[in-house]
């Protein structure tokens, strides 16, 4: 069994490669829900949807989120009624949010709703939200405290970041199976996702860090930072705001208490020594995932290196 900790686009691309390397039913993906947002009375889980759509072959590959070929008629009409339309919700995507919201209203947990949606889209991978409880990432800026999506999408990450607040992290417990999957997997992969607002949220939940330290499985991470910058998303802005140097080495330091193996990009070879000095096995390869071949290569490489560590 393999368990992966995942955020949105970077993780989804990696996992698209992983399902070509391991059977879907041997893979569990624990997904960040700190980015979840309620809009138009609907529960939207962007990272869960990005992973689900990507693995189901439905994602808009260029954007990395949303459904390919989607139309935006419903959103346009909502705009005419005077609603804010800064979050691009396509018509097909809206169907997912309506379905999820109805399932939740019937009394299902987010885990159960996610399971139902992923099965309906033909997936055998087990996708689980990190928690079933309300957990939201807020960004403290010079313009005030704002929801992560408001900071990233509405305001285009242009405000000065003063801090990051996880609302709910103190109380929220991981959803059923999160701890078990980590403890019982042979390999646990920390996907190339934002270490603060994607992986950091999962790590902040009660018992997750401890489980990663205690598991007999090999914990293997893939750096989301290449030559001092993320390929996508605001990881650099958020790391700088927390006075963390933007480098693969810094990410390794954030994970040092549980990480066995770290895969970094060829371009970051010069950091091998300092990462190794943390007691982590470091490997370099191409981590830029443009084609399916790149994704399969990175997933296979990471899994092979983790397997070598098991011996
Ligand atoms: N990202 C954007 O940059 N602009 C959008 O309008 C947008 C809409 C959107 C709708 C559904 C969905 O599942 C994701 C969406 N995303 C959008 C991506 C999302 O905001 C972030 O990339 C993730 O939350 C970060 O992992």
């Amino acid at each position: 069994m393999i368990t992966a900790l995942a955020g949105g686009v970077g993780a989804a691309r990696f996992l698209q490669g992983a399902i070509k390397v391991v059977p879907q039913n041997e893979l569990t993906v624990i997904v960040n829900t700190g980015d979840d947002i309620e809009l138009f009375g609907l529960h939207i889980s962007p990272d869960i949807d990005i992973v689900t759509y990507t693995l189901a072959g439905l994602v808009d590959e260029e954007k990395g989120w949303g459904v390919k070929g989607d139309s935006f008629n419903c959103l346009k009409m909502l705009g005419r009624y005077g609603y804010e339309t800064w979050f691009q919700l396509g018509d097909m995507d809206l169907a997912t949010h309506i379905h999820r919201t109805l399932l939740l209203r019937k009394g299902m947990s987010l885990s159960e709703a996610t399971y139902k949606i992923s099965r309906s889209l033909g997936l055998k991978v087990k996708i689980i939200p990190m928690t079933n409880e309300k957990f939201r990432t807020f960004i403290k800026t010079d313009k005030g405290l704002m929801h992560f999506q408001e900071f990233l999408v509405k305001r285009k990450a242009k405000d000065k970041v003063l801090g990051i607040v996880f609302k709910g992290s103190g109380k929220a417990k991981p959803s059923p199976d999160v701890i078990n999957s980590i403890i019982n997997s042979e390999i646990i992969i920390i996907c190339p996702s934002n270490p603060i607002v994607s992986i950091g949220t999962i790590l902040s939940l009660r018992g997750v860090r401890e489980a990663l330290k205690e598991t007999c499985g090999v914990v293997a991470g893939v750096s989301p930072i290449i030559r001092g910058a993320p390929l996508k998303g605001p990881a650099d802005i958020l790391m700088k705001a927390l006075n963390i140097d933007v480098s693969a080495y810094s990410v390794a330091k954030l994970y040092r208490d549980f990480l066995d193996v770290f895969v970094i990009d060829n371009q970051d070879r010069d950091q091998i020594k300092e990462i190794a000095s943390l007691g982590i096995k470091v490997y370099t390869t191409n981590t830029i995932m443009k084609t399916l071949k790149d994704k399969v290569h990175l997933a296979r490489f990471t899994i092979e290196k983790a397997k070598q560590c098991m011996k």
Side-chain angles (χ1 to χ4, degrees):
M1 278 297 297
I2 296 182
T3 292
L5 271 56
V9 181
R13 289 184 174 151
F14 176 87
L15 294 166
Q16 213 181 348
I19 59 167
K20 301 279 181 209
V21 180
V22 291
Q24 286 205 16
N25 58 7
E26 287 179 22
L27 182 63
T28 298
V29 187
I30 300 167
V31 186
N32 167 48
T33 55
D35 300 5
D36 285 19
I37 188 166
E38 286 76 35
L39 292 171
F40 314 117
L42 303 174
H43 183 117
I44 298 157
S45 293
D47 285 358
I48 290 179
D49 292 341
I50 289 168
V51 170
T52 306
Y53 293 154
T54 304
L55 298 187
L58 294 171
V59 83
D60 180 324
E61 295 262 1
E62 210 173 297
K63 290 191 297 201
W65 48 268
V67 179
K68 68 179 155 209
D70 213 347
S71 49
F72 291 83
N73 295 316
C74 182
L75 197 70
K76 269 184 220 148
M77 199 65 176
L78 285 165
R80 286 184 67 179
Y81 289 130
Y83 291 95
E84 287 193 80
T85 58
W86 52 269
F87 204 63
Q88 291 295 298
L89 294 168
D91 297 330
M92 289 192 266
D93 194 22
L94 275 163
T96 304
H97 311 315
I98 292 169
H99 183 40
R100 174 187 298 113
T101 306
L102 291 173
L103 295 174
L104 293 174
R105 251 192 241 162
K106 271 192 199 161
M108 276 193 195
S109 64
L110 186 59
S111 291
E112 289 165 333
T114 303
Y115 179 83
K116 231 176 157 4
I117 292 168
S118 63
R119 294 292 139 145
S120 297
L121 297 180
L123 292 180
K124 292 203 166 65
V125 176
K126 196 165 163 196
I127 298 173
I128 48 182
M130 65 176 196
T131 180
N132 283 324
E133 293 167 38
K134 193 161 176 172
F135 183 117
R136 298 288 177 268
T137 300
F138 276 75
I139 308 295
K140 207 171 152 194
T141 75
D142 57 343
K143 299 284 183 314
L145 191 65
M146 53 183 90
H147 185 285
F148 175 72
Q149 299 294 356
E150 194 182 345
F151 166 78
L152 181 70
V153 179
K154 186 178 182 185
R155 309 270 315 152
K156 306 203 182 315
K158 65 179 181 214
D159 302 309
K160 187 175 160 54
V161 178
L162 305 174
I164 294 142
V165 182
F166 295 157
K167 289 197 181 182
S169 83
K171 279 182 278 159
K173 57 176 192 300
S175 59
D177 287 348
V178 166
I179 302 292
N180 278 350
S181 304
I182 293 173
I183 294 284
N184 296 322
S185 287
E186 284 100 49
I187 297 172
I188 301 95
I189 296 173
I190 315 292
C191 290
S193 296
N194 188 314
I196 313 294
V197 294
S198 299
I199 303 298
T201 45
I202 305 175
L203 297 177
S204 79
L205 295 170
R206 224 188 303 157
V208 171
R209 250 196 141 93
E210 288 70 21
L212 285 164
K213 283 191 238 174
E214 278 166 29
T215 180
C216 295
V218 175
V219 184
V222 181
S223 177
I225 305 290
I226 303 173
R227 286 280 78 173
L231 286 178
K232 205 170 164 40
D236 49 346
I237 299 173
L238 301 180
M239 288 173 84
K240 276 182 204 154
L242 297 178
N243 282 321
I244 301 170
D245 187 38
V246 186
S247 66
Y249 172 60
S250 295
V251 179
K253 271 204 291 187
L254 292 171
Y255 301 159
R256 67 184 297 176
D257 51 333
F258 56 77
L259 204 61
D260 300 304
V261 170
F262 201 37
V263 175
I264 64 172
D265 193 78
N266 286 328
Q267 298 175 64
D268 285 326
R269 264 178 215 290
D270 52 342
Q271 293 174 47
I272 293 178
K273 246 191 176 169
E274 48 183 352
I275 296 174
S277 74
L278 300 171
I280 298 166
K281 289 200 169 75
V282 200
Y283 299 96
T284 61
T285 189
N286 170 41
T287 65
I288 301 171
M289 296 174 284
K290 282 195 186 130
T291 63
L292 181 61
K293 203 171 158 211
D294 297 334
K295 296 168 195 172
V296 174
H297 163 74
L298 184 57
R300 180 171 285 127
F301 184 86
T302 307
I303 292 166
E304 269 170 16
K305 295 303 170 197
K307 279 189 180 157
Q308 281 170 17
C309 200
M310 275 156 55
K311 285 174 193 156

